Every structure is written in structure tokens, then in C-alpha cells.
Amino acid sequence: MELLEGLNWGLIAPLFIIQLILLIVSFVDLSRIEKTNGPKLLWVFIIIFVTIIGPILYFVIGRRND
Amino acid sequence: MSQWMTLFNKEVLEMWRNFKWIWVPITFILLGVSEPLTSYYLPQIIKSVGGLPEGAIFEMPKPTAGAVLASGLSQYSTFGVLVIVLGTMGIIAGERKNGVAAMILVKPVSYFSYVTSKWAGSLLLVWISLFIGYISTWYYTGQLFDWVPIGEFFQSFALYGLWLTVILTVTVFFSAALLSPGLAGFISLALALIVSILSGALSHLLEWSPSQLTSYAGALLTGGKLPSDTMPASLTALLLIVLFLWFSVFLFKKKELAA
Amino acid sequence: MSLIQIKGLKKSFQGNQVIKGLDFKLEKGKCIALLGPNGAGKTTTLRMLSGLMKPTEGSISFSEAKKDGDIRHLIGYLPQFPVFYDWMSGFEFLQYVGKLAGLTSKEAKERSLKLLELVGIIDAKNRRIGKYSGGMRQRLGIAQAIINRPQLVILDEPVSALDPFGRREVLELLERLKKETTILFSTHILNDAEEVCDEIIFLHNGEIVESGTMDDLRERHQQAKIDLIFHRKTEGMERTFRTHSLTKSILVDGNRISVFVTNVESARKEFLKLIYEKEWQLDKFEVSSMTLEDVFMKVVGK
């Protein structure tokens, strides 16, 4: 708990918000897109469970443009 | 010119629709900002986890603000490059592979505009993302450590931007020259890696190499002075950008659109 | 006045000659069908005409080409499988190509709406193209091909991928389009060609085997023909007719034997007598002239 008190929330909170935006946006995109590289359900799990990196991974390699 | 703007606007709009304008800047923020945060909180984390024996005096030199900012910036030459290459490799090859390029280019569209508008669209994305990500890193570093002079921030920003533009242009070139986005991405990454390693190892011989721009930006932030080789390296970078872009258009023109 | 002149057009892929030397002209204001079985070289020919492929040999000259040979402002092209930016709406896509083709924003907007109306997808104008059905994509494809009022519209198999319903609608659309511009379209279905077009170019194995207006073709191939349908075909029937002195050639299709003859009147008598003598069981005896279908079969068959 001592650790949490030491945190500067003014700096940490924006990052949480950004991360949330990333999460939402990747879900919106996933719901719109027709095909992904690999099963769609897999990407749902990756986005939810792999913090931060999950949504980014989805955008970089999960999306299929053709 | 109005045709070029039409093409360019389409690129910008497409990046809204596929959320590139959101996720790329966010990725750049997270990449950069994680550096000052971890360097600042790492000692606390280690202490609270209690990995040290009782009574041991925990002493870790506090890094300078410049060093923290430099290492935040260096994230962009690794993960940033990866994001740029993977995000750009299909820009032309993808459109040609799925046939939409043929639909567009049977219209009286200039090949030069087609290629350069795509390049310019990505360029805008890269520079804006880099700026947003890097200025956040600078702000966090200032809050947690010390303020790095804004002039040094802008100079190092420009140098990194230049190097990332080289990477981007090379990727666009391979995307125009090859039919496969994957292959274009692979070759671009391999090339960036080889050039970086080679220039790093032979830095006394290849001081003009554009990949050295990243180390010069780091040197500026840690040492406060820009190495004298920055100028030739920047000029090489500019030259490469123009050459690769020109060759992209040239090669693309020669290809048959229908495979 | 001829719009395009094609001379000695050849195309090879890896040493394999697919188009073996085409010569033809397209007249302004006509509707021409490029007809041929699959693999005849129709798509390759159209791609060369649209500038997407370079001919290995030969020349394509448009009378109104620009000095540098650019002909793209003159043509509209619809590939066999049109591809769009699926993230755009139909309306957005048309405006986009319209502007690329040189229209102002305002013109592009008006023209797009008009075309969406014309091809009948105005209700779906704001829907993402990714959600369009095959027929809608085809229609959007036609709309984008004529957005800049091209002098020549090249359509690659515009109706092949459609169901009978969509096919009918697109054919009617072509009928209307015909009044405004020159149309060149490929098909492997004779009926489609016959229905819309004034002229036909038969392509087979990369060569033009026959061409001309519908009337020309009918006249040229006008031959007296006697169709015989037998209840059961027996040995020797085919040989008997093939070797008959009045026979020019025959076509056999199951129990049907079509005999092209030199003199209908005597053939009528002779054949009936022959059949009576041999006691062949005849289901149908018909004297007719050749249909285009027969021309097609004959031309492709040789």
C-alpha cells in the first residue's frame, strides 16, 4: 500500500484513460471488420487479457485489409 | 494538384476509418512514457517487493533527465520502427494485390500522385504520432525527473523524425516494387536492422549513415551537444528519401497493374 | 468514324502466346460484344485495351489519345471482379473516382447521385461497400466505369456472376447506356451478346474466328439446314447423312442430327425417302436456317 501512496496519480490516470480508449477502439474495429488473421474470438481474448500490448498487436497484425 | 489532394484526403480519411489516427499515437505515447515511469518507480517497486536482504542499503543512482528521455526516445527506433513498417508495408502492394489499384489507375490518375500521396499520408501519421508520443515522454520526464530544455527536445525530435521517414520511404519503396505486403515488410525490417547494426559497429567509418541520427539525438540529450556528424547524416537521410521515393514511382509505373 | 484501331495485337505470358494477333476497329456509338468460350483471351484483350497490360506486339490506337499515348480519360473499365475500398460508402466511392477523373467536387456529387439512381442502388448510397451484395457491387462497378462519360466503356463479363434476376437488370442497364456511349463487353453467353449488341467479335484460342454485325453474320452463315430428331439413333445414320451427296456438313448432338445442305428442296425429298426406306423412327423433321448459336458452335468447333 505504501507503494500506491507514492504514485503520482496525475501522471498515471491519463495512461489508464488512454489504455481504455485503445481497448474500446480495438473492440469497435474488431466488431466491424469482416476477417482477421486468425480466429476473431482469439483476438477478443488477446485484446482483453493482454494489457496494452493486446490491442496494439491486434491493430498491427490482427487486422486484415484485403 | 487537386487530384493529388483528393488522393491525399482519401489516405487521411482511411486512417480515420481504420483508427490509425488513434492507435498509432497512443502506441507512441505508451512506448515513450513507460520509460520515465519505470525508471522512477523501479527502486520503489523493488523495495516493496522486498527482494533485498534485511538491512541492505539500497542505492541506485538516479539517472539524469536527459538519459531517461534518450532511452524513452530509443523505443521509437525499435518498436516504433516495427509499428511503422508493419503498418505501411501493404500501402501499395496490398492495393495492387486485391485489385483496387487497377480500378483506380484506369482512371486518368497520375502514378506520381498515387504513390506520393500515400507516402505523404503515412508521413503525416508518423510525424504526428512521434510528436505526441515524444512530447508526452518529455512531459513525464520533466514531472518525475527534471526538465530537458525544449530546444533539445525539438532537435532530437527532428532527427528521429528524419530517420523514421527514411524507414517509411524504404517500406513504401518495397511496397511499390513487390507484390507481397509481407515480403515488403520483411525486407524493409531486415534492411533497417542491418543498417543500424552495421552503422553502430562501424560508427567511425559510417558516421554519415542515417541510422546514426538516433545515436546523435541520444548524444544531444545526454551530453547536451550535437555531434558534428549530424549534418552529413541528415543530408544522407534526405537524399535517400528523395531517391527511394523517386524509384518507387519509377518502378511502380513500369509494373503491369493486372497480374 | 472509328474510335480505336487494333493492329496485330499479341500477348504472351512466359513464352505462351495467349493472344495470337488481333485486328479490328471499333466504331463510335456501337455496342460490340467480345464473345468466346472461357480461356479464349477475352479478359487479356480487354486489359490491353484499357491500358492495364502492355501488348507483347502490335498496336492499339485511339483516335483521340493524348500526345503521350494516355487513353485513360477516354475509357471506363469494369473488371470481371470489381474491387472497391470496402470502408467507403457507394456514394463516397463514386465521388472519389469522379474527382480523380477530373470532375469538380460539385459535379462529382451530382453525377454520383444521378448514377446511383440510374443503376438502382440509390437506397444503399450511404451503406459501406463491404456490406453490398454481388449484384450491387456489379452495379456500382458500372456506375464508376461511366462516371466521367467515357467514349468507350469496357466491361469484362458484366453479367456472368449474377443471378438471372440481376442479369436481366444489368442487361437492361446496358441497353440504356448504349444510347450514350460506345460499349465493348465480353461474355461467354451468346444470348447476352445477341440481346444487347449490334456487333460481335468471336474470339477463340486467342484469335478472331468471326466478326461482324448480327445481320452480316446471319447472312454469311445463312445455310439451309435440316434438323432431324430420331427416336433412337442407330449405327450408320450419322455416316449415311455425312456422306450424302447433298450434305455440306453435319452437327450431331445426341439424337439430333443437323445437316447443312446445298439444296433444300431436293434434300427434303431425298432425306424423307431415305428415312422411309431405312425405317428409321423419326420424331421431328425441321427445315430451318442457321441460328447464331449454330454459328457459334460451328466457329468454335472447327
Side-chain angles (χ1 to χ4, degrees):
Chain A
M1 280 308 105
E2 172 195 354
L3 176 68
L4 282 178
E5 278 159 29
L7 286 179
N8 180 343
W9 286 104
L11 291 181
I12 306 287
L15 294 183
F16 275 117
I17 295 170
I18 280 180
Q19 200 194 321
L20 195 67
I21 295 174
L22 199 59
L23 193 74
I24 294 168
V25 162
S26 56
F27 266 120
V28 172
D29 193 69
L30 189 64
S31 68
R32 277 198 207 157
I33 203 165
E34 228 151 273
K35 274 185 193 159
T36 48
N37 286 321
K40 233 178 183 180
L41 195 66
L42 177 72
W43 284 109
V44 174
F45 284 118
I46 292 177
I47 291 172
I48 297 176
F49 292 115
V50 188
T51 327
I52 306 177
I53 314 285
I56 296 176
L57 272 182
Y58 163 71
F59 278 116
V60 175
I61 51 178
R63 253 182 145 264
R64 192 147 76 182
N65 257 332
D66 49 77
Chain B
M1 196 60 206
S2 82
Q3 188 181 62
W4 194 90
M5 279 314 290
T6 305
L7 289 160
F8 179 73
N9 286 339
K10 175 252 158 193
E11 291 302 315
V12 173
L13 182 68
E14 183 170 16
M15 290 191 283
W16 273 116
R17 299 275 169 93
N18 61 23
F19 298 117
K20 267 192 181 166
W21 283 117
I22 297 177
W23 75 263
V24 180
I26 289 185
T27 305
F28 274 64
I29 292 174
L30 294 174
L31 277 176
V33 162
S34 64
E35 202 56 42
L37 281 177
T38 45
S39 341
Y40 185 80
Y41 287 112
L42 196 62
Q44 289 191 36
I45 293 169
I46 293 173
K47 207 158 66 178
S48 76
V49 169
L52 291 166
E54 197 81 22
I57 303 158
F58 183 72
E59 200 71 61
M60 203 186 225
K62 198 178 175 190
T64 65
V68 173
L69 191 59
S71 75
L73 190 55
S74 72
Q75 298 287 317
Y76 301 132
S77 62
T78 50
F79 295 107
V81 164
L82 202 63
V83 167
I84 291 171
V85 171
L86 293 178
T88 318
M89 64 191 191
I91 195 165
I92 292 172
E95 285 202 359
R96 212 172 68 205
K97 203 175 165 193
N98 75 9
V100 76
M103 295 283 286
I104 298 302
L105 288 161
V106 284
K107 300 268 176 269
V109 173
S110 129
Y111 286 71
F112 177 81
S113 301
Y114 180 81
V115 174
T116 53
S117 65
K118 286 185 172 305
W119 173 80
S122 303
L123 188 73
L124 196 66
L125 178 74
V126 166
W127 280 79
I128 287 181
S129 302
L130 179 66
F131 182 77
I132 294 176
Y134 188 33
I135 194 114
S136 312
T137 311
W138 175 81
Y139 177 77
Y140 274 64
T141 309
Q143 287 287 334
L144 296 171
F145 295 87
D146 214 345
W147 294 97
V148 173
I150 194 79
E152 286 183 16
F153 163 81
F154 274 111
Q155 276 177 297
S156 51
F157 162 69
L159 294 181
Y160 254 78
L162 204 52
W163 169 236
L164 293 185
T165 306
V166 173
I167 301 279
L168 170 77
T169 314
V170 168
T171 313
V172 168
F173 168 78
F174 283 112
S175 193
L178 305 168
L179 201 57
S180 149
L183 196 61
F186 178 77
I187 295 181
S188 310
L189 276 182
L191 205 63
L193 195 68
I194 291 169
V195 169
S196 299
I197 291 175
L198 222 61
S199 316
L202 305 169
S203 55
H204 55 292
L205 287 173
L206 301 171
E207 60 281 313
W208 43 266
S209 162
S211 76
Q212 288 298 93
L213 288 173
T214 58
S215 15
Y216 300 156
L220 170 71
L221 292 174
T222 47
K225 228 177 126 245
L226 211 51
S228 58
D229 293 322
T230 308
M231 201 40 135
S234 306
L235 287 177
T236 323
L238 283 175
L239 188 72
L240 281 178
I241 292 167
V242 174
L243 275 181
F244 271 105
L245 196 59
W246 188 79
F247 271 116
S248 307
V249 179
F250 180 75
L251 275 183
F252 187 65
K253 236 183 207 168
K254 285 185 71 174
K255 295 253 166 183
E256 286 189 336
L257 277 164
Chain C
M1 194 196 134
S2 76
L3 190 63
I4 320 179
Q5 194 148 19
I6 284 110
K7 278 188 192 148
L9 193 65
K10 286 181 190 166
K11 180 75 188 178
S12 306
F13 295 108
Q14 282 118 32
N16 200 353
Q17 203 170 55
V18 180
I19 302 295
K20 298 166 183 161
L22 307 183
D23 295 273
F24 62 93
K25 273 189 223 167
L26 297 184
E27 303 288 323
K28 230 177 186 164
K30 290 274 166 57
C31 173
I32 304 104
L34 191 61
L35 187 66
N38 291 330
K42 302 188 293 289
T43 296
T44 308
T45 307
L46 295 186
R47 280 179 176 170
M48 285 193 282
L49 286 182
S50 64
L52 286 175
M53 263 185 193
K54 293 181 185 82
T56 314
E57 254 180 74
S59 70
I60 302 170
S61 31
F62 282 75
S63 53
E64 286 166 54
K66 283 193 181 156
K67 277 199 194 98
D68 61 357
D70 199 348
I71 44 104
R72 294 180 297 167
H73 60 291
L74 299 172
I75 58 160
Y77 172 70
L78 171 68
Q80 190 168 0
F81 305 105
V83 192
F84 308 94
Y85 294 115
D86 282 351
W87 53 270
M88 284 190 189
S89 70
F91 189 31
E92 282 174 331
F93 188 81
L94 283 186
Q95 283 178 281
Y96 177 58
V97 256
K99 279 190 268 182
L100 289 182
L103 304 180
T104 64
S105 301
K106 193 164 158 275
E107 285 168 345
K109 198 170 179 178
E110 285 166 6
R111 178 87 176 138
S112 302
L113 284 172
K114 221 175 138 192
L115 289 177
L116 285 164
E117 189 84 58
L118 179 78
V119 300
I121 50 172
I122 189 86
D123 293 336
K125 73 174 160 82
N126 292 324
R127 210 182 301 166
R128 285 179 49 221
I129 301 174
K131 304 260 180 241
Y132 278 21
S133 69
M136 292 163 82
R137 292 173 80 91
Q138 206 69 27
R139 283 184 234 187
L140 181 63
I142 292 176
Q144 64 81 31
I146 56 178
I147 189 110
N148 55 334
R149 298 190 174 79
Q151 298 199 357
L152 173 67
V153 181
I154 299 174
L155 310 167
D156 196 356
E157 301 267 5
V159 294
S160 305
L162 301 179
D163 58 29
F165 205 67
R167 162 185 241 113
R168 178 104 313 277
E169 286 180 332
V170 169
L171 286 175
E172 273 162 21
L173 187 61
L174 292 185
E175 196 77 44
R176 254 178 289 164
L177 220 62
K178 222 169 98 173
K179 295 181 189 104
E180 292 174 30
T181 178
T182 313
I183 301 178
L184 174 65
F185 84 94
S186 72
T187 176
H188 60 273
I189 296 157
L190 179 75
N191 272 338
D192 295 342
E194 222 171 348
E195 192 163 330
V196 200
C197 283
D198 328 297
E199 272 183 59
I200 287 189
I201 295 172
F202 273 122
L203 206 59
H204 185 52
N205 285 334
E207 283 171 300
I208 296 178
V209 280
E210 186 58 274
S211 68
T213 66
M214 289 290 174
D215 294 338
D216 274 354
L217 284 178
R218 282 203 194 89
E219 205 166 299
R220 198 174 320 151
H221 292 273
Q222 189 88 0
Q223 282 183 17
K225 185 180 83 163
I226 296 177
D227 279 325
L228 304 159
I229 298 178
F230 292 99
H231 193 66
R232 209 157 30 83
K233 210 168 71 178
T234 57
E235 290 286 315
M237 271 180 190
E238 206 182 311
R239 196 161 40 89
T240 311
F241 286 110
R242 198 184 292 281
T243 52
H244 197 280
S245 60
L246 289 169
T247 303
K248 282 203 326 210
S249 64
I250 76 167
L251 278 174
V252 184
D253 178 21
N255 282 351
R256 190 171 101 157
I257 299 179
S258 306
V259 189
F260 299 97
V261 293
T262 44
N263 184 331
V264 206
E265 284 318 306
S266 29
R268 192 204 303 260
K269 277 186 223 147
E270 292 271 331
F271 284 5
L272 279 173
K273 209 170 97 194
L274 193 71
I275 292 162
Y276 175 72
E277 278 168 5
K278 301 246 181 187
E279 295 182 357
W280 286 335
Q281 283 182 305
L282 188 67
D283 276 354
K284 194 176 169 194
F285 184 97
E286 189 179 42
V287 180
S288 64
S289 63
M290 207 171 168
T291 65
L292 229 53
E293 185 79 43
D294 297 320
V295 177
F296 188 43
M297 292 307 291
K298 203 174 147 200
V299 149
V300 169
K302 74 182 173 191

